[in-house]
Amino acid sequence: MDNVINTIVSFSIDYGVRFAGAVLVFFIGWIVSKKIVSFARKTMEKAGFDITLAKFLGDFAYVILIILVIIASLGTLGVNTTSFVAILGALTFAVGFALKDQLSNFGAGVLLLIFRPFKVGDFVEAGGATGAVEEIGIINTKMRTGDNRLIYVSNSNIVGGNITNYSAKDTRRIDLTIGVGYEDDLKKVKEVVWDILNSDDRILKEPAPTVAVSELADSSVNFVVRPWVKSSDYWPVYFDLLETIKTRFDREGINIPYPQMDIHIKKES
């Protein structure tokens, strides 16, 4: 009976010491992990990393550290962690395979946050959608279209295609093609167009606008009209120019032709 009691006491003391050691390892590891992650986040933010990316990488590192701390605690408790690590590795592989598309989006999201082809507030065309960027997430990017629709675009689609950032530069060029009749005075047409451009204060003097004949088409002589404006003025100036050109051409007697087809009927006796 004494041997049994001694065995129980010895086992309790040994297990209690191990349990206390495991708790101590976990507690210290938890505190150290938080300190490491907090320091890493602050370092990344000071280095200019995107806040979203810094937060995500910090959370990801924290999860990895906590898993390592748990494994270390179980080892201190006397648990064989070899099989546990093997099971964890197999589980990670299975989850990774099941979420391969999301992992692809995640990788693309990291690239977007690192290389920053656009930022929140930019008006872009990417991933088959066009709109203002509202949020750059790890999995997808939130964009709002001109007619106030909210679109979530997968980051892998964005990175895998062309990205057009209309807000990247302070200025943009408006490209218009204006057709006039073959009977119209080309010199007068150019004078009228230049007068319209010079009368709009939103059109920049540098770079200078371009007004030139670009094509002798089937039904018209085509002019290219290419003024430069601030990016924020692009659409207002674009719409106003079209309306003003039509109004002035009507007033000046300049014809804007439309495609026509002449049909000759031959009557046989």
Side-chain angles (χ1 to χ4, degrees), residues 89-151:
L91 181 63
T92 302
F93 175 79
V95 172
F97 182 78
L99 300 177
K100 60 181 184 299
D101 292 337
Q102 296 303 323
L103 291 176
S104 175
N105 287 326
F106 160 72
V110 172
L111 291 177
L112 288 177
L113 292 172
I114 291 176
F115 294 105
R116 300 175 68 92
F118 52 78
K119 63 182 184 299
V120 173
D122 285 352
F123 191 84
V124 303
E125 180 180 346
T130 303
V133 178
E134 289 205 339
E135 180 181 338
I136 305 173
I138 291 297
I139 302 300
N140 51 47
T141 296
K142 186 192 300 184
M143 297 168 60
R144 187 174 297 278
T145 64
D147 56 352
N148 207 33
R149 288 179 295 127
L150 197 60
I151 300 178

Side-chain angles (χ1 to χ4, degrees), residues 171-174 202-210 226-230:
T171 59
R172 285 185 65 186
R173 190 183 72 186
I174 298 176
R202 296 170 296 180
I203 294 176
L204 303 177
K205 305 303 181 184
E206 291 293 336
T210 299
R226 296 175 176 174
W228 288 83
V229 297
K230 292 182 179 179

Side-chain angles (χ1 to χ4, degrees), residues 12-13 30 46 99 108 120 163 217 248-249 254 267:
S12 299
I13 293 174
W30 176 60
K46 289 181 180 179
L99 300 177
V120 173
I163 300 174
R248 282 291 302 275
F249 278 17
I254 300 173
K267 184 178 180 180

Side-chain angles (χ1 to χ4, degrees), residues 141-193:
T141 296
K142 186 192 300 184
M143 297 168 60
R144 187 174 297 278
T145 64
D147 56 352
N148 207 33
R149 288 179 295 127
L150 197 60
I151 300 178
Y152 291 85
V153 186
S154 298
N155 288 334
S156 58
N157 290 339
I158 295 176
V159 173
N162 294 330
I163 300 174
T164 303
N165 189 342
Y166 295 102
S167 304
K169 300 296 183 180
D170 294 332
T171 59
R172 285 185 65 186
R173 190 183 72 186
I174 298 176
D175 290 354
L176 297 178
T177 300
I178 306 298
V180 299
Y182 273 91
E183 69 279 4
D184 289 306
D185 184 351
L186 300 186
K187 182 179 179 181
K188 179 180 180 182
V189 172
K190 294 182 71 173
E191 289 176 351
V192 171
V193 173

